[in-house]
Amino acid sequence: MTNPESREIVLSGNEALARGALEAGIGFCASYPGTPSTEIATTLMKESSEHDIYVEWSVNEKVALEACAGASWLGIPALCSMKSLGLNVASDFLLNVNLSGTGSGGLVIIVCDDPQGHSSSNEQDSRFYAKEAEIPLLEPSTCQNAKDVVPYAFRLSQEHQIPVMIRSTTRLSHSRALVKPGKIPERDWKVSQILPDNLYNIPYPYHKHGELDEKTGNASADFEMSGFNNITKGTNADMLVIASGVSYLYALEAVRLLDITNVDVANLVTTYPLPLSHILQWIENKKKILFVEEVAPFVEEQVLALVAELQHDPRDFYGKRNGAMPWIGELNTDIVKKAIKNTSEGRIYNTDREIPKIIDTGESLLITRPLTFCAGCTHRNIYWAIRKLRNRLKGKLAVAGDIGCYSLGIFYDNAMETMQAMGSGIGTASGMGQLKRFGFDTKVIAVAGDSTFFHSCIPGLINARNNNADLTFVIMDNATSAMTGFQEHPGSKKQSFDKHRVSIEGIVESIGPDHFLKGDATDIPSTLDILWDAVNREGLKVVLLEGVCKLEEQQRGVDYANLKRIVHFSENCKGEKCKICAGQFSCTALGWNNETGQPYIIEHLCTRCGTCVDVCPNDALREEE
Amino acid sequence: MDRPYNILIAGVGGQGNLLAGSVLAEAAALAGYRPVVGEIYGASRRGGRVMTHVRIWKEDLGPLIPAGHTDFLIGLEPVETIWAADVLCSERSVVVMNKAVVPTLSTLTGLEKYPSVENIEKALKEICGSLFVMDATDTLNEFNNPKALNMFFLGSLVALGKSPLSKEQITEGIKKNLRNPASSIAIFERGIEISSKLA
């Protein structure tokens, strides 16, 4: 495809980043799904055959980055996209390949941060990885900008043979705006048959560090010339806002809404290393400078370090370090507006929003909408069994959790009790499984989903085996990466034509737990029996429970109309005295009628899985004859 | 237009919220503006809320509507409507609200009471310039298309919104975003017709 399109099209931030990769002429993309980054690789997958590029879901972000480096070393431009937390996983490799170099192909990492943590368990600022790795960093502020920085980042990476990082945020990745597509070039790279020299950092890593320093210094000079860093000038401005990422648009609008003119607004796209002469030019003759960025004071600290070298600097700097901007949560125009107003008046105080002024109607209108499992989800069945198990054990059951749909177990009567990184359930449990010697006699369970199992659980499980930890590892296998939109993983039953399935069962068997039990998560009584059996045995127990993702089924067009309807027999129902079905089991297809004091089936949501029939102790829920 | 026109769509997962945003973005681009759409959702398919900010202006704006700057709020669900209006609406806002309630897990199980729609209406009238309450259920049943709630309320935007987008431009936006747009367009048109009677 070479025909340049001239008309602007509506693209999401993620689609624009993918488009930029095509225009950069990439040949390779590896990624692991994670909100808000997933659609970058998904978009490239859709385009892969037309543009003859290779795109894969890797087993985790570290492997994805390594795979991309492999391609880049052999001359192929490679893109690696991931969410914020993914970069933690990939960082070990990043902090080595930055020194070793990326060869001639070009390696660009796109990391999508999630200020506020809309779909993440933290709101980390991944830009510090670029600083730590001393690699160039770009932060686009609009969808157009997102597309434009990608080919530039590849040129930079190819020229200096180091990884280049692009940082997006949820608000950019998940926004849509007009983008003018450019030309997708004819392939101008050729695969090399031999690896470049010196792809290692020993015996003198500090020599490599020196080389990296020089390359990054050169990138700083490139940034000065890049044309990405712009300033919108006010009139007789004595104040400057330095904004990066999507915050730039907030700052522009805030100034307009405040109707003030003595402010320049700078859009800093190349945030590491700083384009020094730009910064010095921008701050000249300014009295007050406000930093607007998400989440941490990344640019702010760098600029403050820079001006520390200037003698007797007369300017006042406002930002996160002195409370003029919030350090916590996502920004918006209102927060920035308030900060600009305060700064222009020389005031600093927190910019939290005011308490809303909803009228008192005598009842609470702003009720929350808690997240829960879908109707018919087998994760609910497993957690129901775990709740029963905990009752039988008189509460002496610790459940270490992991990342996925099943993380919602923390909202399900605390059926899952911990949640940190991918793979941390089995890891923390393997520690708890050693505590018998100190008098700990609570049973320990770790849970993980199938995609998470492949991503990060295998070392933890081997650790538990090797050190003889006493625990039960429950794998909730629904054969898809459900949380992020049903991507294939190595264990998915259905694999694309060019993939080879890797079975969880085979891996577990080779690790050799003391007991390996298998069960069917669609059936609660047998699941409970298996879990009871497992926790009462000694040693390392692995329970593989085969489940179903009802959303994925519905996505494929599976229809439940030919299954038997679930019906409610009110004469058997003990009503409010019992209320186990709606009040405790809480399937979203079971409603509670406060007037009759009885449950009802919400037909259009019910998947007719029949588990509530087992949950009802009074035979009031039945399959229709 | 002397200031940006801001449309806010509030609802829960599965109501076609994001799709409506894409339709409006296409329509606004056709009308020669520079639309920007902000999509706010977490685990929406698992019962969470979804909000779409659509901003129509002659230059690029940030994807979030500033407090009180909503011109037209499409509330696909009552509690979600009041949540959205609470911060983002003001006297300048026209609100259309779908009366049909999507219970939360805690109201479903009787742990919490779903607020009365009457009280929600009362509060909305305090916050917003004008309020129109509708129930699209009959129309959706008539067309046997329960998922097209979003299309019905795009019709309300045309009838009640004084928006810069014409019926034709939105129709084009629907065609660009849907493979089989016929029934959606019919529901959109019915939305215009029913909403016009309230004007």
Side-chain angles (χ1 to χ4, degrees), chain A residues 7-8 10 35 39 118-119 142 144 170-172 174-179 246 249-250 252-253 256-257 330-334 337 353 356-359 361-374 405 408 482-486 551 554-555 579 582-583 586-594 600 602, chain B residues 4 6 11-12 18 21-22 25-26 29-30 33-49 55 57 59-69 77 79-80 82-83 85-89 102-117 119-120 122-123 126-127 176:
Chain A
R7 208 177 72 79
E8 287 179 295
V10 177
T35 314
E39 300 81 14
H118 291 281
S119 345
T142 63
Q144 177 71 51
T170 305
R171 207 45 60 225
L172 177 63
H174 285 181
S175 69
R176 280 173 195 284
L178 285 173
V179 175
V246 74
L249 294 174
Y250 301 152
L252 276 187
E253 185 168 15
R256 194 162 47 228
L257 291 175
E330 195 177 23
L331 298 183
N332 58 38
T333 303
D334 300 304
K337 193 171 111 193
R353 84 177 176 94
K357 28 68 185 107
I358 221 168
I359 58 152
T361 58
E363 68 172 341
S364 165
L365 303 181
L366 298 177
I367 60 167
T368 55
R369 205 169 271 284
L371 298 177
T372 189
F373 307 106
C374 306
C405 284
L408 297 175
M483 197 79 187
T484 47
F486 325 114
L551 259 187
Q554 286 155 27
Q555 202 92 345
K579 209 181 170 180
S586 307
C587 175
T588 44
L590 274 170
W592 190 260
N593 185 331
N594 279 322
Y600 61 96
I602 305 170
Chain B
N6 298 313
V12 297
L18 302 179
S22 296
E26 283 293 346
L30 273 176
Y33 295 102
R34 300 197 65 80
V36 60
V37 180
E39 301 173 346
I40 304 178
Y41 55 94
S44 61
R45 296 302 300 272
R46 288 131 197 106
R49 49 174 48 112
R55 314 197 60 198
W57 186 230
E59 46 195 274
D60 284 340
L61 291 171
L64 299 175
I65 300 171
H69 284 228
E77 201 278 341
V79 159
E80 296 314 310
I82 187 70
W83 265 106
D86 180 28
V87 183
L88 295 171
C89 288
V102 178
T104 73
L105 187 65
S106 18
T107 65
L108 209 54
T109 58
L111 290 173
E112 196 173 26
K113 200 177 146 284
Y114 193 96
S116 80
V117 176
N119 277 341
I120 291 177
K122 225 186 271 173
E126 285 290 319
I127 298 170
K176 280 207 123 185

Side-chain angles (χ1 to χ4, degrees), chain A residues 523-542:
Chain A
D523 183 64
I524 289 180
S526 69
T527 299
L528 178 56
D529 288 346
I530 290 172
L531 291 176
W532 176 249
D533 179 15
V535 297
N536 284 303
R537 297 190 197 197
E538 290 286 315
L540 177 64
K541 292 81 59 176
V542 176

Side-chain angles (χ1 to χ4, degrees), chain A residues 234-289:
Chain A
T235 35
N236 302 324
D238 59 356
M239 185 175 154
L240 167 71
V241 176
I242 300 181
S244 57
V246 74
S247 310
Y248 168 63
L249 294 174
Y250 301 152
L252 276 187
E253 185 168 15
V255 168
R256 194 162 47 228
L257 291 175
L258 286 167
D259 206 16
I260 50 177
T261 53
N262 63 325
V263 187
D264 287 353
V265 181
N267 182 18
L268 184 64
V269 173
T270 66
T271 48
Y272 185 84
L274 284 186
L276 298 181
S277 61
H278 274 133
I279 304 280
L280 293 174
Q281 219 175 356
W282 289 344
I283 64 175
E284 208 173 66
N285 300 324
K286 298 293 182 296
K287 292 200 178 80
K288 293 168 187 157
I289 290 141

Side-chain angles (χ1 to χ4, degrees), chain A residues 312-347:
Chain A
H312 310 297
D313 194 83
R315 287 167 281 252
D316 290 326
F317 292 87
Y318 297 78
K320 295 172 199 280
R321 297 184 56 82
N322 53 12
M325 286 293 297
W327 198 320
I328 292 158
E330 195 177 23
L331 298 183
N332 58 38
T333 303
D334 300 304
I335 294 170
V336 178
K337 193 171 111 193
K338 214 163 185 179
I340 292 176
K341 187 161 188 291
N342 287 338
T343 304
S344 71
E345 292 164 4
R347 282 183 293 141

